[in-house]
Amino acid sequence: MRTRPGPDQAGSPDPSDPGDLVEVLRAAGCVFAEEEAAVLREAAHDAGRLEAMMRRRVAGEPLEHVVGFVEFMGMRLSAGPGVFVPRQRTRLLAETAVAAVREAGRGGGRRAVFLEAFAGVGPVAAAVRRAVPEAEVHAAERDARALRCARENLRDVPGSAEVPGAAELPGSAWPPGTARAHEASVLEGLPEELRGRVDVIAAVPPYIPRSAAGLLPREARESEPAEALFGGEDGLTPARVLMDQARPWLSGRGPLLLEMNRQQCPAAARHAAGLGYGAERIEGDDGQTAVLSLRREDSGGRREE
């Protein structure tokens, strides 16, 4: 290990040396030390910045907060300090949402309208915008820091407001290829022009039960907002609020898609049934994550058993 004089010792690791950086990260408990070291080195523009970033990471700050971005489905999304970091398991929800938006856009005389609720930095909205550039994409978030990131991400994702061959269609307040992030508490605060026009709503509502807080990594508990993590006693309080609010905003052509732990699906489906939704569970391959797809029973929904 190459060392240099430090304030508290005769020699300290030199973060500009790749081996030293990996060793320091590994000693701090970073499981993927080599990968994290590569990300830090790419994000740092000089040795001083690299050392500062290394110290923040070693102190327990999430890597994504340190470097200011998260990699998600081939996109580099803004994710600064203090925001909820999108998890890779949300790829299941994003892929399900993309398929639903494409289905909603077939026929009907107008383009599909998509909304990500509890959007955070907008990973699902960004994925839909990239995959279906002609769709009208919206995101709803109340946290100011996350909302700034979401607006940046929807602006930066490839997918232009100039969609070749797309014409302005009746009933829309926005041009083809629109991507907008709105300040809203769940769905309260959305533009009235969206009421009854949204074909697909997708969300990662906070769904960790309060009793499970001790199971989270320390960096999540200390660096991410509690309101973006915890969903009440059983983890489903925010999801129930969204289910209660969603129907007037949906067009009836597509589903309400909710990420949750698969063990929460039966209770969530029972609440949805009382609101007139049928439920279908889509399970990820990690043994934990599921997407609950809710449709009005008069539009082809099925009951979750």
Side-chain angles (χ1 to χ4, degrees):
M1 177 189 295
R2 187 170 66 195
T3 62
R4 60 181 178 174
D8 301 317
Q9 56 188 34
S12 61
D14 182 357
S16 65
D17 180 279
D20 279 13
L21 182 55
V22 169
E23 186 171 334
V24 169
L25 294 172
R26 187 177 290 121
C30 300
V31 177
F32 303 103
E34 290 85 356
E35 291 85 349
E36 292 200 16
V39 172
L40 288 170
R41 289 176 60 81
E42 180 188 352
H45 302 299
D46 54 58
R49 179 171 171 81
L50 178 59
E51 180 167 4
M53 295 170 75
M54 179 194 73
R55 291 183 183 278
R56 289 171 61 191
R57 182 65 185 119
V58 168
E61 193 172 347
L63 176 68
E64 295 82 2
H65 288 177
V66 173
V67 299
F69 63 81
V70 59
E71 300 283 353
F72 183 77
M73 294 185 67
M75 299 176 290
R76 179 166 287 186
L77 302 178
S78 174
V83 305
F84 176 78
V85 177
R87 289 3 183 207
Q88 296 305 313
R89 60 176 172 264
T90 297
R91 184 184 187 105
L92 175 66
L93 176 65
E95 291 174 343
T96 304
V98 166
V101 170
R102 285 175 171 157
E103 178 186 352
R106 296 192 184 104
R110 66 178 180 86
R111 64 184 180 275
V113 180
F114 171 79
L115 169 68
E116 181 179 7
F118 295 103
V121 305
V124 181
V128 169
R129 187 186 180 204
R130 184 181 68 163
V132 195
E134 69 275 15
E136 184 181 314
V137 175
H138 299 269
E141 174 56 47
R142 69 177 183 179
D143 180 82
R145 291 171 297 185
L147 189 60
R148 284 194 296 271
C149 291
R151 286 172 173 156
E152 180 178 342
N153 291 332
L154 291 180
R155 182 177 67 246
D156 289 348
V157 168
S160 171
E162 301 296 327
V163 180
E168 184 62 42
L169 296 170
S172 174
W174 292 278
T178 285
R180 296 284 188 274
H182 309 279
E183 182 179 359
S185 178
V186 192
L187 302 182
E188 293 181 356
L190 285 174
E192 281 298 312
E193 292 86 351
L194 286 176
R195 192 176 293 272
R197 292 188 56 247
V198 181
D199 300 307
V200 181
I201 299 176
V204 184
Y207 61 86
I208 300 172
R210 277 284 178 185
S211 59
L215 302 178
L216 288 179
R218 180 175 64 89
E219 64 184 53
R221 295 196 308 269
E222 296 182 355
S223 300
E224 294 180 295
E227 59 269 24
L229 295 171
F230 301 110
E233 183 177 352
D234 64 354
L236 289 174
T237 298
R240 292 189 186 97
V241 172
L242 177 55
M243 286 186 257
D244 293 345
Q245 293 184 8
R247 192 156 187 162
W249 298 93
L250 285 166
S251 68
R253 303 167 74 207
L256 168 60
L257 305 170
L258 303 173
E259 178 184 298
M260 60 187 65
N261 186 283
R262 63 177 60 182
Q263 294 182 352
Q264 296 171 311
C265 287
R270 286 193 295 272
H271 185 83
L275 299 169
Y277 291 103
E280 179 181 2
R281 178 167 56 185
I282 303 165
E283 296 187 351
D285 56 12
D286 62 359
Q288 299 182 23
T289 308
V291 170
L292 196 66
S293 176
L294 305 177
R295 292 180 185 264
R296 284 157 46 175
E297 293 199 307
D298 57 7
S299 64
R302 295 186 297 176
R303 286 192 179 274
E304 164 78 10
E305 301 297 335

